[in-house]
Amino acid sequence: MKKLLLLGLCFICFAVPVFSEGENDIDMQINSMYAANQVDAVFNLILSIPQEERTSQQWLILGNIMQDMGKTGDAEFMYEHSLAADPKNYKASYNLANLYLANGKPNMAIDKYKAALKVNNEFAYAYYNMGCAYIKIGEYRKAKNAFLDAIYFKSTEPDFHYNLAYVYKMLNKPKDAQLYLGYYNKLINERK
């Protein structure tokens, strides 16, 4: 992972399913099956629901499934529908941002990370991945701020520190770079 990080391929990309309070029976069934990795059954169950009746959560899960299948165009479609059903679904914004970042659209990714953070301003991974998007466009000061925010909300993630060290190196601040590289090494050693 370290070598990839130096090349700017530094985002943590994972699809985030939604588990919310006040779920109805079908959503509880979908979430249970999805958590049990019964992807085909979930996919077929959601497809049996008319499009106009699908919840934001259901669209999100469809997007996750499509993304896992490598169908990025379909995943984007599903995430957009998830956001249309609930514009405050920060996980749909986050997953869509990850999709954009993975497909070389860092500016679009930044916009979606910002949308996710408007709803959940403590979501460390959104700050982190936004920092990675800023690296891709050469905005190291903005990347630094995003990584500092990520560390503020989740200081135990080694990659956050490693990428901040990289940004400080790019900003010609070797002492700060060394400091965060030290934090990274300490966290890695604690995990052994």
Side-chain angles (χ1 to χ4, degrees):
M1 181 85 169
K2 286 187 245 178
K3 291 180 183 176
L4 290 175
L5 296 174
L6 289 174
L7 296 173
L9 300 173
C10 60
F11 61 95
I12 296 174
C13 183
F14 59 93
V16 182
V18 177
F19 301 100
S20 59
E21 294 181 32
E23 295 175 330
N24 59 33
D25 289 339
I26 192 89
D27 283 334
M28 288 187 345
Q29 182 181 3
I30 288 168
N31 288 335
S32 175
M33 290 169 29
Y34 191 65
N37 203 27
Q38 298 173 349
V39 177
D40 291 337
V42 170
F43 184 76
N44 290 328
L45 179 57
I46 295 174
L47 288 183
S48 72
I49 301 167
Q51 285 190 16
E52 61 277 0
E53 295 177 22
R54 289 183 195 151
T55 65
S56 179
Q57 174 182 3
Q58 293 162 357
W59 285 109
L60 174 62
I61 291 172
L62 282 175
N64 292 349
I65 293 169
M66 293 291 104
Q67 188 170 358
D68 289 345
M69 294 171 62
K71 297 181 177 182
T72 57
D74 291 337
E76 181 178 359
F77 176 84
M78 303 300 175
Y79 293 145
E80 290 290 353
H81 273 72
S82 178
L83 288 169
D86 179 4
K88 293 186 177 188
N89 187 337
Y90 73 94
K91 293 176 182 182
S93 292
Y94 175 76
N95 288 357
L96 186 55
N98 287 341
L99 190 70
Y100 288 149
L101 186 57
N103 288 299
K105 300 175 183 176
N107 289 314
M108 292 173 71
I110 290 166
D111 289 341
K112 289 300 178 187
Y113 290 130
K114 286 179 179 180
L117 290 165
K118 275 187 180 180
V119 178
N120 182 355
N121 68 349
E122 297 180 5
F123 191 19
Y125 291 100
Y127 287 111
Y128 174 73
N129 287 352
M130 186 168 61
C132 294
Y134 280 127
I135 286 174
K136 287 204 176 261
I137 61 174
E139 295 277 349
Y140 296 112
R141 291 190 197 292
K142 289 180 180 179
K144 175 193 76 166
N145 291 335
F147 291 141
L148 286 169
D149 286 337
I151 290 168
Y152 177 79
F153 291 110
K154 188 167 175 68
S155 62
T156 58
E157 183 60 56
D159 289 341
F160 294 4
H161 296 275
Y162 185 86
N163 285 330
L164 182 56
Y166 172 77
V167 167
Y168 276 127
K169 179 181 175 193
M170 298 306 292
L171 291 171
N172 199 26
K173 296 191 176 212
K175 287 183 183 178
D176 291 327
Q178 199 59 39
L179 176 68
Y180 282 94
L181 192 56
Y183 293 146
Y184 165 79
N185 288 326
K186 181 181 178 202
L187 289 168
I188 290 296
N189 288 331
E190 289 173 358
R191 289 187 176 185
K192 290 181 181 178

